[in-house]
Amino acid sequence: MTKIAASDFRQQLADLGNRVSYGGERITVTRSGKPLFAVVPYEDAELLEALEDRMDLDLAKKALKRNDTVSWEKAKKELGL
């Protein structure tokens, strides 16, 4: 993964956007050498979302198997709704 300083990222945004969009490159933006965020192709972000959804679904199924549920009324009360 390519690393670039935040100050350089701002100056090169259009070029870096093209490299990510059309070249599939992944870029880590840093400040003082520490990673701040990553710029990835849209397809990578979609995949990440799908993986997170799958993990959430798996956790929900496990909770249902354990009968580890809370009534809607209790949930609303705990959340102050």
Side-chain angles (χ1 to χ4, degrees):
M1 189 175 311
T2 303
K3 292 184 181 181
I4 187 167
S7 56
D8 294 333
F9 177 78
R10 285 190 292 271
Q11 295 171 355
Q12 301 175 35
L13 182 58
D15 177 56
L16 294 170
N18 286 333
R19 287 166 51 185
V20 169
S21 296
Y22 301 112
E25 192 171 343
R26 296 176 181 123
I27 298 173
T28 301
V29 180
T30 64
R31 180 178 294 139
S32 299
K34 296 181 182 178
L36 292 176
F37 60 91
V39 181
V40 298
Y42 185 74
E43 293 80 12
D44 288 8
E46 283 184 318
L47 178 59
L48 180 59
E49 287 288 330
L51 290 170
E52 289 174 343
D53 290 347
R54 178 59 189 246
M55 290 169 56
D56 290 344
L57 182 59
D58 289 346
L59 288 173
K61 286 179 179 179
K62 287 178 185 176
L64 287 172
K65 283 184 181 178
R66 291 189 314 262
N67 199 22
D68 190 12
T69 58
V70 177
S71 73
W72 177 239
E73 293 304 318
K74 183 176 178 181
K76 287 194 304 186
K77 183 177 179 181
E78 287 179 7
L79 295 171
L81 303 175

